[in-house]
Amino acid sequence: MLQNIGIPGLILVLVIALIIFGPSKLPELGRAVGSTLKEFKKSTRELVSDEEPELKQSKAEKEKAM
């Protein structure tokens, strides 16, 4: 989806954001988006790492059953 935007589209989106939010709110908005993405990535990593031991354990149980 983002592959089709290109440089002119990206500039247009940034100009519209600047007009809507103003120059004083844009850094705050950027920080909020950045921290949200950071928390999302952290939570995703924790979920994936929690699932890996369970997968290894279930594989070991299946091997014992054979």
Side-chain angles (χ1 to χ4, degrees), residues 23-45:
S24 62
K25 293 286 183 179
L26 227 49
E28 294 175 23
L29 185 64
R31 269 188 235 107
V33 169
S35 64
T36 302
L37 286 174
K38 183 178 177 182
E39 285 294 320
F40 178 75
K41 286 182 181 180
K42 181 181 173 187
S43 298
T44 305
R45 283 189 202 121

Side-chain angles (χ1 to χ4, degrees), residues 6-35:
I7 299 296
L10 185 60
I11 292 172
L12 181 65
V13 168
L14 291 175
V15 168
I16 291 172
L18 183 62
I19 291 171
I20 291 174
F21 296 109
S24 62
K25 293 286 183 179
L26 227 49
E28 294 175 23
L29 185 64
R31 269 188 235 107
V33 169
S35 64

Side-chain angles (χ1 to χ4, degrees), residues 54-66:
E54 293 174 6
L55 290 174
K56 289 179 182 176
Q57 185 179 12
S58 64
K59 287 181 182 177
E61 291 174 356
K62 287 180 183 178
E63 289 175 1
K64 287 180 182 178
M66 291 182 164

